[in-house]
Amino acid sequence: MSRLAQGQKLEGKVVDAVTNKPIPYASVSLLNTSIGTTCNAEGEFVLQKVPVSSKLLVSELGHRRDTIVVTSAAVLRISLTPASVVLPEIHVGSYLADLLLQAYNKSRQLYSQKTYGRAFYRQITRHNGDATEVLEMIWNTKTNNAGVEGTSLAQGRYAEKKALVKLNNFSLNTRLYGVYDAQADTSRSIWMIGPNVERYYSLNLVGVTENGTQQLVEVEFASKPGINPNHHRGSITIDAITHQILRFQMETEGVRISSNSASTQFKDQRTFFEMVFQASEKGAPILNYVSVRYQAVIARPKKDDVNLQVNSLTVFYDGQPVPSGIAYSSAVDKANKSDLVSIKRTTYNPTFWAENSIVKRTPLEEGVIQAFEQKGAFGTLLTH
């Protein structure tokens, strides 16, 4: 009996059929199940215990989804065809603002629909390119069509080197922020997705993609001068047929880090958010992944500047509409304000992490993880 027939590990890579380049963070799942994963930045993925003759559904915004029948345990190479891009004449009047308002209203209507599942969170902090901090967690999650509503830590590990900055609660940015605020005062809301978008943002049509029954409209936005001191800018992708919000990308100066030392300054602070949702035919879209990147320059008197960069990726999987009975903590709960404190309360299980392949790491990430593992840093929380 073959390894695949027994339900063994399946590896693959998703690439663009035209350019042959990897498609980052494409979604790969077993058809008609909640079992799936997300590719890494190199388009690579791993699925465990895949039965023979399984059908894989592979999708990514901007590419036509495809269904692949698994017939071999060999590493798969899956090519996705770019979706057709059209530019219909929809610049006239307030079409874009109206579309965003319809998406907001539709999202509010479906806000009560929740998804209960799990998420894998990885964070790597770097000083001048050197990895100084690694944090990984598995959460039980409760999500909605705005973002993360609650989490409960299932597994976690953390390791660090001595460095200028330690960010052991960076995941707050994943758990706190969303596409819109369902509780916001609609008369005063300055959210990108909200009732006042024309008042606070300049809008521009980037393009329209026809992908099967979807008509994906990408809208570029930027805060109007004098409105928001943090100056939000980015893009949002909406299915004009269903009014589902499927991708949100934003750059902001609003995430600030400071030092206890008056002589240390953080300059050129920028944070980049990306949230991607999986379209749903019967209800609210389901959160697929959240990526948060932060960068800044640390300046100190009579010393060289240090480039600080933090990358985090959270992938959501095994989602179900049925409540799990788990007690979740929101991002604003006092007991949930330190990742490191939460991890210390868990029991480190090295076997679990050795077999964990929800998201396949890139070679660079794998090298960082192995370096910390070889020093015995995980589980002991020792500074090296």
Side-chain angles (χ1 to χ4, degrees):
M1 182 178 292
S2 70
R3 294 180 61 198
L4 188 63
Q6 300 175 39
Q8 295 297 316
K9 182 171 71 173
L10 178 68
E11 298 183 73
K13 185 170 186 175
V14 182
V15 300
D16 185 289
V18 176
T19 66
N20 210 34
K21 292 182 179 180
I23 300 178
Y25 311 133
S27 177
V28 182
S29 61
L30 296 184
L31 192 63
N32 299 323
T33 75
S34 61
I35 300 172
T37 189
T38 296
C39 296
N40 65 13
E42 301 298 328
E44 300 165 327
F45 69 91
V46 174
L47 282 174
Q48 300 285 359
K49 299 180 180 179
V50 179
V52 69
S53 300
S54 294
K55 292 184 178 180
L56 295 182
L57 178 62
V58 186
S59 62
E60 192 274 335
L61 287 177
H63 290 81
R64 294 191 178 278
R65 66 178 58 188
D66 200 359
T67 302
I68 308 297
V69 178
V70 179
T71 59
S72 170
V75 176
L76 294 177
R77 187 176 181 86
I78 303 171
S79 299
L80 294 185
T81 303
S84 302
V85 178
V86 296
L87 286 173
E89 293 297 327
I90 59 175
H91 298 269
V92 181
S94 58
Y95 171 82
L96 297 181
D98 288 343
L99 178 63
L100 292 171
L101 180 58
Q102 291 179 70
Y104 171 69
N105 290 333
K106 182 70 171 181
S107 297
R108 287 285 299 271
Q109 293 173 13
L110 300 176
Y111 182 75
S112 61
Q113 295 185 12
K114 314 299 180 182
T115 299
Y116 304 86
R118 304 198 103 188
F120 172 75
Y121 174 89
R122 179 190 299 124
Q123 170 196 324
I124 299 179
T125 305
R126 290 182 169 88
H127 289 66
N128 285 340
D130 180 40
T132 58
E133 188 177 49
V134 173
L135 190 152
E136 294 186 317
M137 293 184 286
I138 296 289
W139 294 325
N140 298 301
T141 57
K142 179 182 180 182
T143 62
N144 52 50
N145 62 2
V148 180
E149 187 167 323
T151 61
S152 173
L153 182 63
Q155 292 279 346
R157 64 178 186 171
Y158 175 90
E160 65 178 14
K161 297 178 183 177
K162 186 176 181 180
L164 289 174
V165 175
K166 181 169 66 175
L167 299 171
N168 57 36
N169 203 35
F170 190 77
S171 78
L172 185 67
N173 296 299
T174 296
R175 297 178 287 115
L176 184 61
Y177 297 100
V179 173
Y180 69 96
D181 185 356
Q183 315 302 327
D185 182 342
T186 55
S187 65
R188 303 170 60 183
S189 173
I190 62 172
W191 282 70
M192 172 56 204
I193 293 296
N196 307 312
V197 62
E198 277 191 298
R199 185 188 310 172
Y200 298 129
Y201 294 91
S202 299
L203 305 176
N204 180 55
L205 175 65
V206 177
V208 180
T209 303
E210 300 285 357
N211 194 347
T213 60
Q214 294 179 322
Q215 187 179 74
L216 304 177
V217 181
E218 185 177 1
V219 182
E220 188 177 65
F221 64 87
S223 302
K224 289 184 176 179
I227 297 296
N228 189 334
N230 296 324
H231 191 61
H232 299 332
R233 51 195 170 272
S235 67
I236 188 163
T237 301
I238 297 170
D239 186 343
I241 307 300
T242 64
H243 297 119
Q244 293 184 16
I245 302 168
L246 299 179
R247 174 179 280 158
F248 178 74
Q249 297 173 302
M250 183 178 72
E251 177 186 352
T252 180
E253 301 163 14
V255 177
R256 300 268 176 191
I257 294 176
S258 59
S259 171
N260 294 328
S261 172
S263 62
T264 300
Q265 296 183 336
F266 289 77
K267 304 186 300 183
D268 303 327
Q269 298 189 68
R270 296 284 189 277
T271 304
F272 305 85
F273 292 91
E274 181 178 26
M275 303 181 71
V276 172
F277 294 80
Q278 190 73 32
S280 172
E281 296 180 359
K282 298 181 180 180
I286 299 171
L287 187 58
N288 187 7
Y289 72 83
V290 178
S291 171
V292 184
R293 296 183 294 111
Y294 169 88
Q295 63 185 41
V297 175
I298 305 174
R300 297 168 295 163
K302 299 180 180 180
K303 294 185 178 181
D304 293 338
D305 288 351
V306 175
N307 293 315
L308 174 66
Q309 186 177 49
V310 189
N311 292 335
S312 75
L313 176 67
T314 309
V315 174
F316 300 82
Y317 61 99
D318 288 352
Q320 302 285 347
V322 181
S324 62
I326 295 172
Y328 300 96
S329 298
S330 71
V332 297
D333 289 342
K334 291 183 179 180
N336 199 31
K337 286 192 173 181
S338 172
D339 293 331
L340 184 52
V341 169
S342 298
I343 289 174
K344 285 182 177 180
R345 293 173 181 157
T346 66
T347 300
Y348 179 60
N349 182 351
T351 302
F352 170 85
W353 293 104
E355 297 175 353
N356 177 20
S357 59
I358 291 301
V359 179
K360 183 177 174 63
R361 300 182 180 96
T362 64
L364 178 60
E365 292 169 332
E366 189 66 38
V368 170
I369 299 296
Q370 289 181 358
F372 278 98
E373 287 177 333
Q374 289 168 1
K375 293 179 180 179
F378 287 117
T380 61
L381 302 177
L382 294 175
T383 299
H384 289 262

